[in-house]
Amino acid sequence: MSQKSVQLAYQIRRHALEMTNRGGTSHIGSIMSMADLVAVLYADVLHYDPQNPKMPERDRVLLSKGHAGAGIYAALAESGFFPVEELLTHCQNGSRLSGHVSHKGVPGVELSTGSLGHGLAVAAGMALGGKKDREHWRVYCILGDGECDEGAVWEAALQAHQYGLDNLIAVVDHNRMQSLDFCENTLALEPFTDKWAAFGWNVMRVDGHSVEALQNAFAWAKANRGTGKPTVIIAETTKGKGVSFMENDILWHYRTPQGEEYEAALKELEAQRP
């Protein structure tokens, strides 16, 4: 297990809690569920240079579930793209760190997102360009499971298979909750694995909170280059992971951690410090 990944996942959760508290913003549950997979990406998987964010040979990361942008900002800051202290300006007047992730002036962010269903299409376009130019970099796209209600996701999935985009890796944060209810009560996704496979993708379903399982999944995804098929990792996660009273509670999609709730959440997270 990579201790660096474990440490970064803790830092993402810790920063995000403080950022949403200070900025009066929401989506902390969505950030907590993806923290481990984002940590493994930035600590163990991606090829990048924080001192040269536009390095041509860098891997590209698109957060299609843009409402969880605080988690990406935290990962970027801890990875050296900009000062960690800037995270405290999140959603403050004049800050470049907006609630939904923005690429405007933020090094390391490839695309502004938030209107769900767009990220995979842009990722596929990037991957197609890279493939035509015979580039070696990869494109990673992080989606929400509720986001997969969007028809645009499946149009992009069809296109990715049509063009043999084996340099494209999608990761679905499958926390089983969206907006106001469980996914299955909104629009059933299952059989989720079979759907992606039927669209011509390599598919692996893993524990999205196991660093080892995620590392193995990303290694497998990289090895799929040359198969002529895009790859998706379905990461089984828990919304609000890391704070007991937030876990699997739909309130924490929009609720802002304040007062006693913030203090209690902070205490729980600090008790888990690696």
Side-chain angles (χ1 to χ4, degrees), residues 1-16 32 34-44 48 71 74-79 84 87 209-212 214-215 269-274:
M1 179 185 297
S2 168
Q3 191 60 26
K4 187 177 178 183
S5 292
V6 174
Q7 179 68 27
L8 181 54
Y10 165 77
Q11 290 165 332
I12 290 170
R13 289 187 171 98
R14 176 67 180 77
H15 286 311
M32 297 295 203
M34 75 171 192
D36 298 297
L37 68 89
V38 170
V40 170
L41 269 174
Y42 281 89
D44 299 324
Y48 62 85
L76 290 171
E78 287 290 347
S79 299
V84 170
L87 295 175
H209 298 305
S210 165
V211 166
E212 183 177 4
L214 287 165
Q215 289 171 333
L269 287 180
E270 291 186 339
Q272 300 166 36
R273 183 190 295 267

Side-chain angles (χ1 to χ4, degrees), residues 5 42 56 64 69 100 121 153 174 178 190 194 199 215 232 255:
S5 292
Y42 281 89
S64 193
H100 287 68
V153 170
H174 190 22
Q178 63 181 104
E190 297 298 343
D194 294 345
F199 275 61
Q215 289 171 333
V232 60
R255 194 178 182 89

Side-chain angles (χ1 to χ4, degrees), residues 62 119-130 139 141 156-157 159-160 165 167-168:
L62 280 68
L120 189 61
V122 176
M126 286 182 172
L128 180 58
V139 184
C141 183
Q159 293 284 349
L165 302 182
N167 56 343
L168 173 61

Side-chain angles (χ1 to χ4, degrees), residues 6-74:
V6 174
Q7 179 68 27
L8 181 54
Y10 165 77
Q11 290 165 332
I12 290 170
R13 289 187 171 98
R14 176 67 180 77
H15 286 311
L17 180 68
E18 185 168 16
M19 291 161 72
T20 52
N21 168 263
R22 283 173 171 263
T25 57
S26 52
H27 304 304
I28 187 64
S30 301
I31 299 164
M32 297 295 203
S33 64
M34 75 171 192
D36 298 297
L37 68 89
V38 170
V40 170
L41 269 174
Y42 281 89
D44 299 324
V45 176
L46 299 174
H47 178 56
Y48 62 85
D49 180 359
Q51 302 308 311
N52 184 14
K54 292 296 185 181
M55 178 179 71
E57 61 270 30
R58 73 191 183 280
D59 288 328
R60 277 73 167 160
V61 178
L62 280 68
L63 178 69
S64 193
K65 46 173 282 182
H67 51 281
I72 292 294
Y73 293 147

Side-chain angles (χ1 to χ4, degrees), residues 20-209:
T20 52
N21 168 263
R22 283 173 171 263
T25 57
S26 52
H27 304 304
I28 187 64
S30 301
I31 299 164
M32 297 295 203
S33 64
M34 75 171 192
D36 298 297
L37 68 89
V38 170
V40 170
L41 269 174
Y42 281 89
D44 299 324
V45 176
L46 299 174
H47 178 56
Y48 62 85
D49 180 359
Q51 302 308 311
N52 184 14
K54 292 296 185 181
M55 178 179 71
E57 61 270 30
R58 73 191 183 280
D59 288 328
R60 277 73 167 160
V61 178
L62 280 68
L63 178 69
S64 193
K65 46 173 282 182
H67 51 281
I72 292 294
Y73 293 147
L76 290 171
E78 287 290 347
S79 299
F81 284 85
F82 55 85
V84 170
E85 293 74 22
E86 188 176 348
L87 295 175
L88 297 180
T89 71
H90 183 244
C91 274
Q92 306 296 322
N93 287 338
S95 175
R96 60 181 176 171
L97 305 181
S98 56
H100 287 68
V101 71
S102 173
H103 71 275
K104 187 178 180 180
V106 185
V109 178
E110 301 286 347
L111 178 71
S112 300
T113 56
S115 182
L116 297 176
H118 294 176
L120 189 61
V122 176
M126 286 182 172
L128 180 58
K131 195 172 183 70
K132 285 181 175 294
D133 291 340
R134 301 182 186 277
E135 299 288 354
H136 296 291
W137 43 264
R138 292 175 171 84
V139 184
Y140 295 82
C141 183
I142 304 170
L143 302 102
D145 47 6
E147 180 181 11
C148 293
D149 293 354
E150 298 278 359
V153 170
W154 300 103
E155 290 181 42
L158 285 170
Q159 293 284 349
H161 175 257
Q162 176 73 19
Y163 291 107
L165 302 182
D166 51 10
N167 56 343
L168 173 61
I169 300 170
V171 189
V172 181
D173 178 21
H174 190 22
N175 60 35
R176 291 182 168 76
M177 306 184 88
Q178 63 181 104
S179 189
L180 302 174
D181 204 346
F182 287 92
C183 294
E184 294 304 296
N185 294 334
T186 306
L187 193 60
L189 294 171
E190 297 298 343
F192 202 30
T193 300
D194 294 345
K195 284 183 172 71
W196 285 98
F199 275 61
W201 286 57
N202 299 307
V203 191
M204 179 180 281
R205 205 159 179 159
V206 299
D207 179 351
H209 298 305

